Amino acid sequence: SIKMDLLHSNGVIIIQHLQRDYRAYQDFLNFMSHVGDPRNIFSIYFPLWFQLNQVVGTKMIWVAVIGDWFNLIFKWILFGHRPYWWVQETMIYPNQSSPCLEQFPITCETGPGSPSGHAMGSSCVWYVMVTAALSYTVRWKDKSAVTLHRLTWSFLWSIFWIIQISVCISRVFIATHFPHQVILGVFAGILVAEAFEHTPAIQTASLRMYIKTNLFLFIFALGFYLVLKLLDIDLLWSVPKAKKWCANPDWINIDTTPFAGLVRNLGALFGLGLGINSEMFITSCKGKNSCKISFRILCIAASLATLQLYNFVKIPTHTEYLFYILSFCKSAAMPLTVVALVPYCVHSLMRTTEKKLN
């Protein structure tokens, strides 16, 4: 439509302005784009928070998975273009004088662009972290504590918005999103996170509930895709555009395709459910050692170190279905490691040490 073309063309002007005037901040903006990567939720934020507060850690995974699932559905409904291919195909510029937008190794996302998954994932998980931190200070009653709570409130929400704005600017800078797409992503993420502030049932969910949720999310997404495909609507229309207009074919990654994100998130949710409902979790995280600071610190350090090793596990991409299966297994292993395997090993080590001392 004319209005959408106008919105896109204004967005291109903003991207050109950022790429021209913020060149000195290129490394920082690329870094902030990585900060907003939803995969950091599972490998960095979740291991830290789960050992500090299991309620917050559990909520973080649910918010991340459901938020990314909604992001996928919205992308399929909105058919949002990305700047780096839109400028090459639009007809609104006269005499084929399309603007030149610089691309980067992280530019060539293959899914639709609206809303931004990075902005949505970043806003929802940081919303959970900020509200969790503030929940500790809101209980303070004396006057000095109330003042400290207000200062903490202002400081944490300022940090929240600085991070969200930086992530949004970085995604626009690398020409992978238009400004309206990142703004939509931020507020959509906040809405999802706020919804889970009032959903305490996830803390007591059984393994059966996790499996049912996984099946529902997968069947709904797959069914939605197949129904529209029968109506001759290709929901993977963005993949060939990305391959055609990406400046470097090596920058195209199957890990950014719509179904890759879906499989990754379903694996993480299944792994969380499997871990929380395991005997190893009950023995270690519900035992007497779970209250010790040393136990939690060791679990955090061991979890972060172990999850970094997962980055060296490269999944073969030559067969798409094999990639999805292995991606699901790898994603499931990460929360299972944090929730059950590492705490159980630390618990066993501490118990053995205590026996030797006695």
Side-chain angles (χ1 to χ4, degrees):
S1 67
I2 297 176
K3 289 184 178 180
M4 189 58 67
D5 283 340
L6 182 62
L7 191 62
H8 285 160
S9 61
N10 288 334
V12 168
I13 294 173
I14 294 174
I15 295 170
Q16 289 180 303
H17 170 71
L18 290 174
Q19 291 188 343
R20 182 180 66 250
D21 298 339
Y22 287 75
R23 175 64 54 196
Y25 304 101
Q26 177 180 328
D27 291 339
F28 171 75
L29 293 173
N30 285 334
F31 170 75
M32 289 308 301
S33 190
H34 285 294
V35 168
D37 193 331
R39 285 169 289 196
N40 289 332
I41 299 170
F42 308 118
S43 61
I44 299 176
Y45 304 138
F46 170 68
L48 284 170
W49 274 97
F50 188 82
Q51 306 303 343
L52 296 174
N53 189 315
Q54 293 170 8
V55 172
V56 178
T58 302
K59 186 193 298 181
M60 188 176 292
I61 291 290
W62 277 88
V63 166
V65 170
I66 301 301
D68 209 51
W69 183 82
F70 273 115
N71 182 264
L72 173 65
I73 301 301
F74 288 152
K75 284 185 175 186
W76 279 349
I77 292 173
L78 297 177
F79 283 81
H81 290 274
R82 293 187 186 271
Y84 75 91
W85 77 57
W86 180 83
V87 294
Q88 304 292 341
E89 297 188 344
T90 183
M91 304 298 292
I92 70 168
Y93 297 107
N95 302 322
Q96 298 181 340
S97 57
S98 58
C100 180
L101 299 182
E102 184 175 355
Q103 297 183 25
F104 303 87
I106 55 176
T107 294
C108 300
E109 298 270 352
T110 57
S114 186
S116 167
H118 279 64
M120 191 168 175
S122 176
S123 65
C124 71
V125 73
W126 278 93
Y127 188 92
V128 169
M129 289 192 288
V130 169
T131 54
L134 290 175
S135 67
Y136 290 103
T137 62
V138 75
R139 302 166 190 164
W140 300 340
K141 299 299 182 182
D142 56 272
K143 286 187 177 181
S144 59
V146 170
T147 303
L148 181 59
H149 168 71
R150 289 174 179 171
L151 290 172
T152 305
W153 187 95
S154 301
F155 173 74
L156 290 179
W157 283 118
S158 297
I159 293 296
F160 172 85
W161 284 111
I162 289 172
I163 291 173
Q164 303 321 310
I165 292 171
S166 298
V167 169
C168 290
I169 292 175
S170 72
R171 301 302 288 172
V172 174
F173 173 83
I174 64 175
T176 199
H177 284 295
F178 290 104
H180 68 278
Q181 295 173 343
V182 292
I183 293 172
L184 179 60
V186 168
F187 287 102
I190 291 174
L191 287 175
V192 172
E194 179 60 27
F196 275 88
E197 291 293 318
H198 311 285
T199 314
I202 60 174
Q203 301 298 334
T204 56
S206 63
L207 179 58
R208 179 176 293 183
M209 182 63 184
Y210 276 91
I211 293 174
K212 286 182 177 179
T213 303
N214 256 18
L215 287 174
F216 171 78
L217 296 177
F218 178 74
I219 292 172
F220 186 96
L222 182 62
F224 188 67
Y225 170 78
L226 293 176
V227 167
L228 290 184
K229 191 172 183 179
L230 289 174
L231 298 175
D232 203 26
I233 300 175
D234 182 15
L235 294 180
L236 300 181
W237 60 273
S238 59
V239 177
K241 288 183 181 293
K243 291 180 178 178
K244 181 179 179 180
W245 296 114
C246 184
N248 187 338
D250 293 335
W251 295 346
I252 296 289
N253 192 337
I254 190 175
D255 201 32
T256 66
T257 58
F259 278 113
L262 175 66
V263 170
R264 183 172 59 246
N265 287 307
L266 295 182
L269 188 62
F270 177 73
L272 175 66
L274 197 62
I276 284 181
N277 291 280
S278 68
E279 285 297 325
M280 286 189 292
F281 171 76
I282 296 171
T283 301
S284 56
C285 294
K286 297 296 183 181
K288 62 178 182 179
N289 282 332
S290 62
C291 298
K292 296 179 180 178
I293 298 298
S294 57
F295 173 79
R296 296 187 179 188
I297 292 175
L298 284 172
C299 286
I300 291 173
S303 295
L304 289 173
T306 305
L307 291 186
Q308 296 314 306
L309 297 178
Y310 282 101
N311 294 330
F312 295 101
V313 178
K314 301 301 180 183
I315 300 175
T317 59
H318 58 274
T319 304
E320 192 170 358
Y321 293 112
L322 178 62
F323 171 82
Y324 290 146
I325 293 172
L326 294 179
S327 180
F328 178 90
C329 295
K330 179 181 177 181
S331 298
M334 295 175 73
L336 182 61
T337 298
V338 174
V339 171
L341 296 179
V342 166
Y344 185 76
C345 291
V346 173
H347 168 77
S348 299
L349 180 64
M350 292 181 69
R351 188 173 58 179
T352 302
T353 305
E354 289 172 359
K355 286 182 178 178
K356 288 182 178 179
L357 292 174
N358 293 331

PDB file of all heavy atoms in Angstrom, residues 14 33 113 121 172 179 185 213 229 231 243 274 292 300 328-329 334 351 354:
ATOM      1  N   ILE A  14      16.095   6.869   7.639  1.00  0.00           N
ATOM      2  CA  ILE A  14      16.646   6.756   8.997  1.00  0.00           C
ATOM      3  C   ILE A  14      17.847   5.808   9.006  1.00  0.00           C
ATOM      4  O   ILE A  14      18.871   6.081   9.641  1.00  0.00           O
ATOM      5  CB  ILE A  14      15.564   6.273   9.972  1.00  0.00           C
ATOM      6  CG1 ILE A  14      14.470   7.333  10.107  1.00  0.00           C
ATOM      7  CG2 ILE A  14      16.164   5.951  11.337  1.00  0.00           C
ATOM      8  CD1 ILE A  14      13.277   6.896  10.940  1.00  0.00           C
ATOM      9  N   SER A  33      23.250  -5.711  19.045  1.00  0.00           N
ATOM     10  CA  SER A  33      22.410  -6.626  18.275  1.00  0.00           C
ATOM     11  C   SER A  33      22.578  -8.052  18.784  1.00  0.00           C
ATOM     12  O   SER A  33      21.610  -8.815  18.882  1.00  0.00           O
ATOM     13  CB  SER A  33      22.765  -6.543  16.789  1.00  0.00           C
ATOM     14  OG  SER A  33      21.819  -7.246  16.009  1.00  0.00           O
ATOM     15  N   GLY A 113      10.130  -9.533   8.580  1.00  0.00           N
ATOM     16  CA  GLY A 113      10.748  -8.569   9.470  1.00  0.00           C
ATOM     17  C   GLY A 113       9.893  -7.976  10.563  1.00  0.00           C
ATOM     18  O   GLY A 113      10.420  -7.299  11.444  1.00  0.00           O
ATOM     19  N   GLY A 121      12.249 -10.287  22.012  1.00  0.00           N
ATOM     20  CA  GLY A 121      12.891 -11.163  22.983  1.00  0.00           C
ATOM     21  C   GLY A 121      13.621 -10.393  24.063  1.00  0.00           C
ATOM     22  O   GLY A 121      13.559 -10.729  25.250  1.00  0.00           O
ATOM     23  N   VAL A 172      18.147  -1.535  13.400  1.00  0.00           N
ATOM     24  CA  VAL A 172      17.887  -0.624  12.283  1.00  0.00           C
ATOM     25  C   VAL A 172      19.200  -0.286  11.567  1.00  0.00           C
ATOM     26  O   VAL A 172      19.256  -0.236  10.337  1.00  0.00           O
ATOM     27  CB  VAL A 172      17.188   0.657  12.782  1.00  0.00           C
ATOM     28  CG1 VAL A 172      17.043   1.667  11.649  1.00  0.00           C
ATOM     29  CG2 VAL A 172      15.818   0.324  13.370  1.00  0.00           C
ATOM     30  N   PRO A 179      12.330   0.962  11.474  1.00  0.00           N
ATOM     31  CA  PRO A 179      12.067   1.465  12.835  1.00  0.00           C
ATOM     32  C   PRO A 179      10.732   1.004  13.426  1.00  0.00           C
ATOM     33  O   PRO A 179      10.668   0.647  14.607  1.00  0.00           O
ATOM     34  CB  PRO A 179      12.100   2.988  12.647  1.00  0.00           C
ATOM     35  CG  PRO A 179      13.025   3.199  11.495  1.00  0.00           C
ATOM     36  CD  PRO A 179      12.772   2.049  10.573  1.00  0.00           C
ATOM     37  N   GLY A 185       8.064  -4.664  18.136  1.00  0.00           N
ATOM     38  CA  GLY A 185       8.644  -5.791  18.849  1.00  0.00           C
ATOM     39  C   GLY A 185       8.807  -5.515  20.333  1.00  0.00           C
ATOM     40  O   GLY A 185       8.513  -6.380  21.170  1.00  0.00           O
ATOM     41  N   THR A 213       1.729 -28.445  26.013  1.00  0.00           N
ATOM     42  CA  THR A 213       1.987 -27.088  25.516  1.00  0.00           C
ATOM     43  C   THR A 213       2.858 -27.134  24.269  1.00  0.00           C
ATOM     44  O   THR A 213       2.601 -26.428  23.284  1.00  0.00           O
ATOM     45  CB  THR A 213       2.675 -26.244  26.607  1.00  0.00           C
ATOM     46  OG1 THR A 213       1.867 -26.224  27.778  1.00  0.00           O
ATOM     47  CG2 THR A 213       2.896 -24.819  26.117  1.00  0.00           C
ATOM     48  N   LYS A 229      -0.683 -22.651   3.002  1.00  0.00           N
ATOM     49  CA  LYS A 229      -0.025 -23.194   1.820  1.00  0.00           C
ATOM     50  C   LYS A 229      -1.059 -23.785   0.862  1.00  0.00           C
ATOM     51  O   LYS A 229      -0.928 -23.665  -0.377  1.00  0.00           O
ATOM     52  CB  LYS A 229       0.986 -24.271   2.230  1.00  0.00           C
ATOM     53  CG  LYS A 229       1.902 -24.703   1.092  1.00  0.00           C
ATOM     54  CD  LYS A 229       3.012 -25.619   1.576  1.00  0.00           C
ATOM     55  CE  LYS A 229       3.957 -25.961   0.427  1.00  0.00           C
ATOM     56  NZ  LYS A 229       5.070 -26.834   0.881  1.00  0.00           N
ATOM     57  N   LEU A 231      -3.938 -22.621   0.507  1.00  0.00           N
ATOM     58  CA  LEU A 231      -4.562 -21.434  -0.096  1.00  0.00           C
ATOM     59  C   LEU A 231      -3.591 -20.702  -1.021  1.00  0.00           C
ATOM     60  O   LEU A 231      -3.860 -19.580  -1.439  1.00  0.00           O
ATOM     61  CB  LEU A 231      -5.045 -20.487   1.005  1.00  0.00           C
ATOM     62  CG  LEU A 231      -6.121 -21.047   1.947  1.00  0.00           C
ATOM     63  CD1 LEU A 231      -6.421 -20.061   3.064  1.00  0.00           C
ATOM     64  CD2 LEU A 231      -7.397 -21.376   1.165  1.00  0.00           C
ATOM     65  N   LYS A 243      18.079 -14.854   0.221  1.00  0.00           N
ATOM     66  CA  LYS A 243      19.155 -15.481  -0.536  1.00  0.00           C
ATOM     67  C   LYS A 243      19.508 -14.667  -1.778  1.00  0.00           C
ATOM     68  O   LYS A 243      20.669 -14.603  -2.175  1.00  0.00           O
ATOM     69  CB  LYS A 243      18.742 -16.898  -0.944  1.00  0.00           C
ATOM     70  CG  LYS A 243      18.635 -17.870   0.232  1.00  0.00           C
ATOM     71  CD  LYS A 243      18.217 -19.252  -0.230  1.00  0.00           C
ATOM     72  CE  LYS A 243      18.168 -20.224   0.943  1.00  0.00           C
ATOM     73  NZ  LYS A 243      17.724 -21.577   0.528  1.00  0.00           N
ATOM     74  N   LEU A 274      11.337 -31.306  31.460  1.00  0.00           N
ATOM     75  CA  LEU A 274      11.989 -32.568  31.794  1.00  0.00           C
ATOM     76  C   LEU A 274      12.891 -32.396  33.014  1.00  0.00           C
ATOM     77  O   LEU A 274      12.922 -33.258  33.908  1.00  0.00           O
ATOM     78  CB  LEU A 274      12.818 -33.043  30.591  1.00  0.00           C
ATOM     79  CG  LEU A 274      13.262 -34.508  30.570  1.00  0.00           C
ATOM     80  CD1 LEU A 274      12.055 -35.438  30.548  1.00  0.00           C
ATOM     81  CD2 LEU A 274      14.155 -34.764  29.359  1.00  0.00           C
ATOM     82  N   LYS A 292      22.252 -22.998  50.278  1.00  0.00           N
ATOM     83  CA  LYS A 292      23.605 -22.502  50.501  1.00  0.00           C
ATOM     84  C   LYS A 292      24.064 -21.617  49.343  1.00  0.00           C
ATOM     85  O   LYS A 292      23.863 -21.962  48.181  1.00  0.00           O
ATOM     86  CB  LYS A 292      24.569 -23.675  50.662  1.00  0.00           C
ATOM     87  CG  LYS A 292      24.298 -24.545  51.888  1.00  0.00           C
ATOM     88  CD  LYS A 292      25.283 -25.695  51.969  1.00  0.00           C
ATOM     89  CE  LYS A 292      25.023 -26.570  53.196  1.00  0.00           C
ATOM     90  NZ  LYS A 292      25.962 -27.714  53.256  1.00  0.00           N
ATOM     91  N   ILE A 300      25.905 -21.779  39.149  1.00  0.00           N
ATOM     92  CA  ILE A 300      25.947 -20.725  38.129  1.00  0.00           C
ATOM     93  C   ILE A 300      27.216 -20.838  37.298  1.00  0.00           C
ATOM     94  O   ILE A 300      27.174 -20.825  36.061  1.00  0.00           O
ATOM     95  CB  ILE A 300      25.861 -19.331  38.787  1.00  0.00           C
ATOM     96  CG1 ILE A 300      24.464 -19.102  39.379  1.00  0.00           C
ATOM     97  CG2 ILE A 300      26.190 -18.231  37.773  1.00  0.00           C
ATOM     98  CD1 ILE A 300      24.339 -17.821  40.182  1.00  0.00           C
ATOM     99  N   PHE A 328      16.515 -29.355  18.040  1.00  0.00           N
ATOM    100  CA  PHE A 328      15.574 -29.593  19.147  1.00  0.00           C
ATOM    101  C   PHE A 328      16.303 -30.263  20.308  1.00  0.00           C
ATOM    102  O   PHE A 328      16.160 -29.852  21.474  1.00  0.00           O
ATOM    103  CB  PHE A 328      14.416 -30.464  18.669  1.00  0.00           C
ATOM    104  CG  PHE A 328      13.415 -30.795  19.741  1.00  0.00           C
ATOM    105  CD1 PHE A 328      12.323 -29.961  19.966  1.00  0.00           C
ATOM    106  CD2 PHE A 328      13.558 -31.934  20.525  1.00  0.00           C
ATOM    107  CE1 PHE A 328      11.400 -30.259  20.968  1.00  0.00           C
ATOM    108  CE2 PHE A 328      12.637 -32.236  21.527  1.00  0.00           C
ATOM    109  CZ  PHE A 328      11.557 -31.395  21.739  1.00  0.00           C
ATOM    110  N   CYS A 329      17.090 -31.289  20.014  1.00  0.00           N
ATOM    111  CA  CYS A 329      17.806 -32.027  21.055  1.00  0.00           C
ATOM    112  C   CYS A 329      18.827 -31.137  21.764  1.00  0.00           C
ATOM    113  O   CYS A 329      18.942 -31.161  23.002  1.00  0.00           O
ATOM    114  CB  CYS A 329      18.502 -33.244  20.451  1.00  0.00           C
ATOM    115  SG  CYS A 329      17.369 -34.495  19.796  1.00  0.00           S
ATOM    116  N   MET A 334      20.119 -27.859  26.914  1.00  0.00           N
ATOM    117  CA  MET A 334      20.638 -26.687  27.628  1.00  0.00           C
ATOM    118  C   MET A 334      19.904 -26.433  28.942  1.00  0.00           C
ATOM    119  O   MET A 334      20.538 -26.383  30.006  1.00  0.00           O
ATOM    120  CB  MET A 334      20.613 -25.466  26.709  1.00  0.00           C
ATOM    121  CG  MET A 334      21.563 -25.606  25.521  1.00  0.00           C
ATOM    122  SD  MET A 334      21.483 -24.254  24.335  1.00  0.00           S
ATOM    123  CE  MET A 334      22.296 -22.954  25.258  1.00  0.00           C
ATOM    124  N   ARG A 351      28.189 -33.254  48.849  1.00  0.00           N
ATOM    125  CA  ARG A 351      27.854 -34.306  49.818  1.00  0.00           C
ATOM    126  C   ARG A 351      29.065 -35.206  50.063  1.00  0.00           C
ATOM    127  O   ARG A 351      29.336 -35.601  51.201  1.00  0.00           O
ATOM    128  CB  ARG A 351      26.678 -35.137  49.281  1.00  0.00           C
ATOM    129  CG  ARG A 351      26.131 -36.137  50.304  1.00  0.00           C
ATOM    130  CD  ARG A 351      24.882 -36.798  49.772  1.00  0.00           C
ATOM    131  NE  ARG A 351      25.138 -37.497  48.499  1.00  0.00           N
ATOM    132  CZ  ARG A 351      24.197 -38.168  47.838  1.00  0.00           C
ATOM    133  NH1 ARG A 351      22.958 -38.216  48.304  1.00  0.00           N
ATOM    134  NH2 ARG A 351      24.513 -38.781  46.715  1.00  0.00           N
ATOM    135  N   GLU A 354      31.498 -33.309  52.272  1.00  0.00           N
ATOM    136  CA  GLU A 354      31.016 -33.260  53.671  1.00  0.00           C
ATOM    137  C   GLU A 354      31.274 -34.584  54.390  1.00  0.00           C
ATOM    138  O   GLU A 354      31.648 -34.599  55.572  1.00  0.00           O
ATOM    139  CB  GLU A 354      29.523 -32.924  53.696  1.00  0.00           C
ATOM    140  CG  GLU A 354      29.210 -31.481  53.318  1.00  0.00           C
ATOM    141  CD  GLU A 354      27.709 -31.236  53.171  1.00  0.00           C
ATOM    142  OE1 GLU A 354      26.940 -32.214  53.345  1.00  0.00           O
ATOM    143  OE2 GLU A 354      27.332 -30.094  52.894  1.00  0.00           O
TER     144      GLU A 354
END
